[in-house]
Amino acid sequence: MQAKNSTAKQKATRKTGQPSFTESGRRAQIVAAAIDVIAEVGYHRASFAKIAERAGLSSTGMISYHFDGRDDLMREVVTEVMRLADGFVRPRIEVHESYAARLRASIEGNLDLLAEYPNHLAAIVEILGNLRGEDPGMVAFLGTAEANLAVQVEQLRKAQRAGEFCDFDPWVMMRAIRAAIDDVVRRATHDPDLDVRAAGRELADLFDRATRRAS
Amino acid sequence: MQAKNSTAKQKATRKTGQPSFTESGRRAQIVAAAIDVIAEVGYHRASFAKIAERAGLSSTGMISYHFDGRDDLMREVVTEVMRLADGFVRPRIEVHESYAARLRASIEGNLDLLAEYPNHLAAIVEILGNLRGEDPGMVAFLGTAEANLAVQVEQLRKAQRAGEFCDFDPWVMMRAIRAAIDDVVRRATHDPDLDVRAAGRELADLFDRATRRAS
Amino acid sequence: MQAKNSTAKQKATRKTGQPSFTESGRRAQIVAAAIDVIAEVGYHRASFAKIAERAGLSSTGMISYHFDGRDDLMREVVTEVMRLADGFVRPRIEVHESYAARLRASIEGNLDLLAEYPNHLAAIVEILGNLRGEDPGMVAFLGTAEANLAVQVEQLRKAQRAGEFCDFDPWVMMRAIRAAIDDVVRRATHDPDLDVRAAGRELADLFDRATRRAS
Amino acid sequence: MQAKNSTAKQKATRKTGQPSFTESGRRAQIVAAAIDVIAEVGYHRASFAKIAERAGLSSTGMISYHFDGRDDLMREVVTEVMRLADGFVRPRIEVHESYAARLRASIEGNLDLLAEYPNHLAAIVEILGNLRGEDPGMVAFLGTAEANLAVQVEQLRKAQRAGEFCDFDPWVMMRAIRAAIDDVVRRATHDPDLDVRAAGRELADLFDRATRRAS
DNA sequence: GATGAATGAGCCTTCATTCAT
DNA sequence: AATGAATGAAGGCTCATTCAT
């Protein structure tokens, strides 16, 4: 066993040797509750008390029992949402051949996902947007998100080398795309009437013009 | 002004009949400290204790004395930064004639401002990004920021009508621009080596391509 | 036995009609784990969670099942260690004739025991040293330890009456001896390099001089 | 100002540049309450809640306000008691010339002190006896106690070199003395009828015989 | 017998605010 | 104006215990 505090998750993981998506029902339920609460009140106001209440638990102790602290829970939330997002968006991208079509699919796919899972995306944007250099485990986590972005940056670069995209700093472009999407996510949280799919098409058009090689 | 009880600000306002930028020295000092602290640790972790310490005050009571609660202080911070930003960016825009040049000046101006006042922009992005529909006074405040944006949206619309810009949803475009700028602000907080002026030029190019009428 | 509800121990006791040292394997295993944990982290920090972990149990519920609460477990630990200590030290004492030799054998025997079972003695010293007048069952227990001491006090008295020992308050002497030994036990916990047998010889010399009839 | 948490004590200390015995009234009051509570229920059960109640405070937050955590409070308690003990015992020792008389004065002085301030000694024995290698600040503290002991050990050594004391390991002797005294302290906590001054005289006799050069 | 989940109380800490001075 | 003390709520976390399976 480990040194200090062994949690249900750690035990489960140790037994199965499997990563976190082999959740016990309760863990998944708590993660789901956390996603809803974070989407509703934001990262910092998402207290264990509120999450426990949403999850139908009688005490916050139960969350501490299942997770090795707040950071661990947040990590699980991010993991869960990334898993969902990847499964949702990736196939929609891989259908396409041209870099331009793939970029469009990426943007529209993210906003379709938002339309179907508004809380999930709101939660991850809240968490990643409020991270500071506090917990080392969480910082390592930011690295993962960065690596994700790097993969997409590489796609942009390839498109440029292929002559399909014009000349621009691919990191700046990628961040602008990400920022625009996340902004829609944030607004959708407050404004349920927002037509996110329409916004997706508009953004896809926008960044198509911004990336296309001038004809 | 507000609900509960009389504060120094209210008294000052009543006396002078002037808006808030005629601050007492203490108020300005606290606002400045708040800006630094928010930039450093974020909106939620910017406690009165930390702000008082930064301001060289020996007790948080002083802040409560000068401001009608946390929201009031935050409002003042936003007001102050908006005033600074407006004074910095507006002249740089008005120098230009064409809409394209003005858009470029707006983007690059914001990032020049970031280069000179990194904490100010970081603070306002933190605050506005963490606002929820909690306090009515703050919500009214978000309206102000929205109105600011609306003015710029109107500029985009005019440029379109003038045939200078191509066809796009000006709200989506404006938010994408804002989001891209704010993202640089956020990153600059964590990464002091980031070349924000270069990013400004890149973003200006990016949104130039995205808005220009195809030739 | 106690007030509230039926435990495994009670069942076992009822079945066999035997006292507690006819333990089930599990009970003994838990007691052994408790001894180690108490020696390592102290009485108050020795939580069921840590003990269960050390014992290779997956839940603290098992401990509650086998013992009627924390006090019951602690009582068992003390009983077990006393049994061990008595079996170890008593024969070494009874070999000798003179009171002085028996006293020396007692002191050195205790520290030999410490050398061989450091955790056992550390645990009992921790427990008995942290007892308060809280639980009636535990207080009755302190009486047992006191009775043990009384037996040795009687030996001192006999030695005095036999003219072998000089005049002193045998209770104060006995407590000083006990305290000196326990102090070595405590230090040995933190300092593994301590030569406890050498300390035993020194203490035996010391108390020999303190008790001997002046020649 | 300092980085993380500034407490009332730190502020006071910074202002005056004086060590902790320049206490604010509340600090001293809390320390006094802590001493009583620790003496009564022991180190680990002495919660902020109990101490606050004893001090007549309405919330534990007040203690956190005045002290930088539990360890800081405990450190203050130990400092306070050591100061008291030193002021009480040292003059009684320095009156005497011979090492034997000084040793006797030390032992009896400690127990006279116990008779007058039973809670103070109980508290320090509780705290120092329950310290583990957890907090570095507290460990440094144990070093102070050790240094105190070293001074007295040196006295024993001098007495041996002067031919006044017989041959023994001065560290073992000193620890035995300390342990015997602390044991009386512990017992006095539970048994208010104990005649501690009588015990002091007995212990002084005991260790006189144990140290004296055989005639 | 054994397990993992659940409970409720208690812990220390931080927070914004209030108030007497 | 300014201070330092005080308050009460809320925060995350650990604990011994209970219970259904």
Side-chain angles (χ1 to χ4, degrees):
Chain A
M1 294 259 171
Q2 252 139 357
K4 279 179 36 188
N5 27 17
S6 82
T7 67
K9 151 95 187 284
Q10 286 165 12
K11 282 174 214 153
T13 304
R14 220 171 294 119
K15 265 192 224 147
T16 64
Q18 299 243 351
S20 63
F21 51 82
T22 309
E23 311 264 30
S24 79
R26 259 290 180 261
R27 266 179 77 86
Q29 182 186 359
I30 293 170
V31 167
I35 287 171
D36 289 348
V37 173
I38 295 166
E40 187 175 309
V41 304
Y43 174 69
H44 282 99
R45 268 182 278 262
S47 66
F48 276 21
K50 291 199 189 92
I51 295 169
E53 188 191 10
R54 178 81 48 128
L57 297 170
S58 69
S59 84
T60 71
M62 207 58 240
I63 301 180
S64 288
Y65 173 75
H66 281 288
F67 295 88
D68 196 12
R70 197 182 137 97
D71 285 349
D72 188 39
L73 170 56
M74 293 304 168
R75 228 166 359 240
E76 216 54 60
V77 168
V78 174
T79 302
E80 163 65 14
V81 176
M82 280 185 168
R83 205 171 49 77
L84 172 72
D86 191 65
F88 188 97
V89 177
R90 183 195 295 267
R92 296 177 172 230
I93 294 175
E94 291 176 346
V95 158
H96 299 279
E97 285 285 303
S98 77
Y99 290 109
R102 292 167 75 101
L103 176 58
R104 170 173 298 273
S106 168
I107 295 173
E108 292 186 358
N110 269 285
L111 292 175
D112 285 352
L113 175 61
L114 174 61
E116 299 208 19
Y117 299 91
N119 287 355
H120 282 70
L121 286 195
I124 199 174
V125 166
E126 268 293 316
I127 295 174
L128 296 183
N130 278 289
L131 242 40
R132 284 292 182 292
E134 45 230 17
D135 175 79
M138 290 304 259
V139 168
F141 216 75
L142 262 179
T144 302
E146 196 76 1
N148 266 342
L149 225 51
V151 170
Q152 300 180 261
V153 165
E154 193 46 41
Q155 295 297 308
L156 293 182
R157 233 188 288 269
K158 277 187 191 166
Q160 288 177 317
R161 281 197 293 260
E164 195 177 329
F165 283 179
C166 66
D167 191 41
F168 53 79
D169 181 326
W171 270 106
V172 170
M173 179 64 70
M174 198 61 240
R175 297 229 191 243
I177 295 169
R178 189 77 258 158
I181 293 171
D182 288 353
D183 179 71
V184 177
V185 171
R186 268 188 268 258
R187 263 190 305 140
T189 303
H190 312 312
D191 175 9
D193 296 337
L194 182 66
D195 184 343
V196 300
R197 290 189 215 263
R201 285 187 300 271
E202 270 294 323
L203 287 179
D205 291 347
L206 189 169
F207 286 105
D208 186 59
R209 289 192 301 275
T211 52
R212 284 272 192 193
R213 174 166 218 78
S215 56
Chain B
M1 239 184 167
Q2 238 106 4
K4 278 164 58 176
N5 44 19
S6 185
T7 69
K9 153 107 187 273
Q10 287 164 16
K11 283 175 216 152
T13 305
R14 223 174 287 124
K15 268 190 227 148
T16 65
Q18 300 240 352
S20 62
F21 53 81
T22 309
E23 313 266 27
S24 80
R26 264 285 178 263
R27 268 177 76 89
Q29 180 187 3
I30 293 169
V31 167
I35 287 171
D36 288 348
V37 172
I38 295 165
E40 188 175 309
V41 304
Y43 174 71
H44 282 98
R45 267 180 280 263
S47 66
F48 277 20
K50 291 198 188 94
I51 294 169
E53 183 184 318
R54 178 78 50 124
L57 299 172
S58 63
S59 90
T60 68
M62 208 60 247
I63 301 179
S64 287
Y65 175 75
H66 280 288
F67 295 88
D68 192 16
R70 199 181 137 95
D71 286 348
D72 187 38
L73 170 57
M74 293 304 168
R75 222 158 14 230
E76 216 54 60
V77 168
V78 174
T79 301
E80 162 66 14
V81 176
M82 280 184 168
R83 207 170 48 75
L84 171 74
D86 192 62
F88 189 97
V89 177
R90 183 195 295 268
R92 297 178 171 229
I93 294 174
E94 292 176 345
V95 157
H96 299 280
E97 285 285 303
S98 77
Y99 290 109
R102 293 167 74 99
L103 175 57
R104 172 173 298 272
S106 168
I107 294 172
E108 292 186 359
N110 268 285
L111 292 175
D112 285 352
L113 174 62
L114 173 60
E116 299 208 20
Y117 298 91
N119 286 356
H120 283 71
L121 286 195
I124 197 174
V125 166
E126 268 292 318
I127 295 174
L128 295 183
N130 278 290
L131 240 41
R132 285 293 183 288
E134 46 229 14
D135 175 80
M138 287 306 254
V139 167
F141 210 73
L142 261 179
T144 303
E146 198 75 0
N148 260 340
L149 224 51
V151 170
Q152 301 180 260
V153 164
E154 194 45 42
Q155 293 296 308
L156 292 181
R157 232 189 290 267
K158 277 187 191 165
Q160 288 177 318
R161 281 197 292 258
E164 195 176 331
F165 283 180
C166 65
D167 190 40
F168 52 80
D169 180 326
W171 271 105
V172 170
M173 179 63 69
M174 199 59 241
R175 297 228 190 244
I177 295 170
R178 189 77 258 158
I181 293 170
D182 289 353
D183 179 70
V184 178
V185 171
R186 267 186 270 259
R187 265 189 304 141
T189 303
H190 312 313
D191 176 10
D193 296 336
L194 183 66
D195 184 343
V196 300
R197 290 188 214 264
R201 287 188 298 270
E202 270 293 324
L203 286 179
D205 291 346
L206 189 168
F207 286 105
D208 186 60
R209 289 193 302 274
T211 51
R212 284 267 193 197
R213 171 163 221 80
S215 55
Chain C
M1 238 187 161
Q2 238 107 2
K4 280 165 58 176
N5 45 16
S6 184
T7 69
K9 156 111 187 268
Q10 286 165 14
K11 283 177 216 150
T13 305
R14 220 176 288 124
K15 268 190 225 148
T16 65
Q18 300 241 350
S20 63
F21 52 84
T22 309
E23 312 266 29
S24 79
R26 264 283 178 264
R27 268 177 77 87
Q29 178 188 5
I30 293 169
V31 167
I35 288 171
D36 288 348
V37 172
I38 295 166
E40 188 176 308
V41 303
Y43 174 71
H44 283 99
R45 267 181 278 266
S47 65
F48 277 21
K50 292 197 188 93
I51 295 169
E53 184 183 317
R54 178 77 51 124
L57 299 171
S58 62
S59 92
T60 68
M62 207 61 248
I63 302 179
S64 287
Y65 175 74
H66 279 290
F67 296 89
D68 191 16
R70 198 182 137 96
D71 286 348
D72 187 38
L73 169 56
M74 293 304 168
R75 221 156 17 230
E76 216 54 60
V77 167
V78 174
T79 302
E80 162 66 13
V81 176
M82 281 184 167
R83 208 169 48 75
L84 171 73
D86 191 64
F88 189 98
V89 178
R90 183 195 295 267
R92 296 176 171 231
I93 294 175
E94 291 176 344
V95 158
H96 298 281
E97 285 286 302
S98 76
Y99 290 108
R102 292 167 74 102
L103 175 58
R104 171 173 297 272
S106 168
I107 294 173
E108 293 186 359
N110 269 283
L111 291 175
D112 286 352
L113 174 62
L114 174 61
E116 298 208 19
Y117 297 90
N119 286 356
H120 283 70
L121 285 196
I124 198 174
V125 166
E126 269 292 318
I127 295 174
L128 295 183
N130 279 289
L131 241 41
R132 284 294 181 290
E134 45 228 16
D135 175 80
M138 288 307 255
V139 168
F141 210 73
L142 261 180
T144 304
E146 198 76 359
N148 261 341
L149 224 51
V151 169
Q152 300 180 261
V153 164
E154 193 46 42
Q155 295 296 307
L156 292 182
R157 232 187 288 270
K158 276 185 191 167
Q160 288 178 317
R161 281 197 293 260
E164 196 178 328
F165 282 0
C166 67
D167 192 39
F168 52 79
D169 180 326
W171 270 104
V172 170
M173 179 62 71
M174 199 59 238
R175 297 230 190 243
I177 295 169
R178 189 76 258 157
I181 293 171
D182 289 353
D183 179 71
V184 177
V185 170
R186 269 187 269 257
R187 265 190 304 140
T189 303
H190 312 312
D191 176 10
D193 295 337
L194 183 66
D195 184 343
V196 300
R197 291 188 215 264
R201 286 188 299 271
E202 269 293 323
L203 286 179
D205 291 347
L206 190 167
F207 286 105
D208 187 59
R209 289 193 301 276
T211 51
R212 285 271 193 191
R213 172 164 219 80
S215 58
Chain D
M1 296 257 169
Q2 251 138 358
K4 278 174 46 179
N5 29 19
S6 82
T7 68
K9 151 98 188 284
Q10 286 166 12
K11 282 175 215 152
T13 305
R14 220 171 293 122
K15 264 193 225 147
T16 65
Q18 300 243 349
S20 62
F21 52 83
T22 309
E23 311 265 29
S24 79
R26 260 288 180 262
R27 265 179 78 86
Q29 182 186 359
I30 292 169
V31 167
I35 288 171
D36 289 348
V37 172
I38 295 165
E40 187 174 309
V41 305
Y43 174 70
H44 282 98
R45 268 181 279 261
S47 66
F48 276 21
K50 291 198 188 92
I51 294 169
E53 187 192 12
R54 177 80 49 126
L57 297 170
S58 69
S59 84
T60 69
M62 208 57 241
I63 302 180
S64 287
Y65 173 73
H66 281 289
F67 296 88
D68 195 13
R70 197 182 137 96
D71 285 349
D72 187 39
L73 171 55
M74 293 305 169
R75 230 169 354 244
E76 216 55 60
V77 168
V78 174
T79 302
E80 163 66 13
V81 176
M82 280 184 168
R83 205 171 50 76
L84 172 73
D86 191 64
F88 189 97
V89 177
R90 183 195 293 267
R92 297 175 172 232
I93 294 175
E94 291 175 345
V95 158
H96 300 281
E97 285 284 304
S98 76
Y99 290 110
R102 292 167 75 100
L103 176 57
R104 170 174 299 272
S106 169
I107 295 172
E108 292 186 0
N110 269 283
L111 293 175
D112 285 352
L113 174 62
L114 174 61
E116 298 208 18
Y117 298 90
N119 286 356
H120 282 71
L121 286 195
I124 199 175
V125 166
E126 267 294 317
I127 295 174
L128 295 183
N130 278 291
L131 242 40
R132 285 291 183 291
E134 44 229 17
D135 175 79
M138 290 304 257
V139 167
F141 215 76
L142 262 180
T144 302
E146 197 75 0
N148 264 342
L149 224 51
V151 170
Q152 300 180 259
V153 164
E154 194 46 42
Q155 293 297 307
L156 293 181
R157 233 188 288 268
K158 277 187 191 165
Q160 289 177 316
R161 282 197 291 258
E164 196 178 326
F165 283 179
C166 66
D167 190 40
F168 52 80
D169 180 326
W171 271 105
V172 171
M173 179 63 70
M174 199 59 239
R175 297 226 190 246
I177 295 170
R178 188 76 259 159
I181 293 171
D182 289 353
D183 179 70
V184 177
V185 170
R186 268 187 268 257
R187 265 189 305 139
T189 302
H190 313 312
D191 176 9
D193 295 336
L194 182 65
D195 184 344
V196 300
R197 289 188 216 265
R201 285 189 299 272
E202 269 294 323
L203 287 179
D205 289 348
L206 188 168
F207 286 105
D208 185 59
R209 291 193 300 275
T211 51
R212 284 269 193 194
R213 174 163 217 79
S215 56

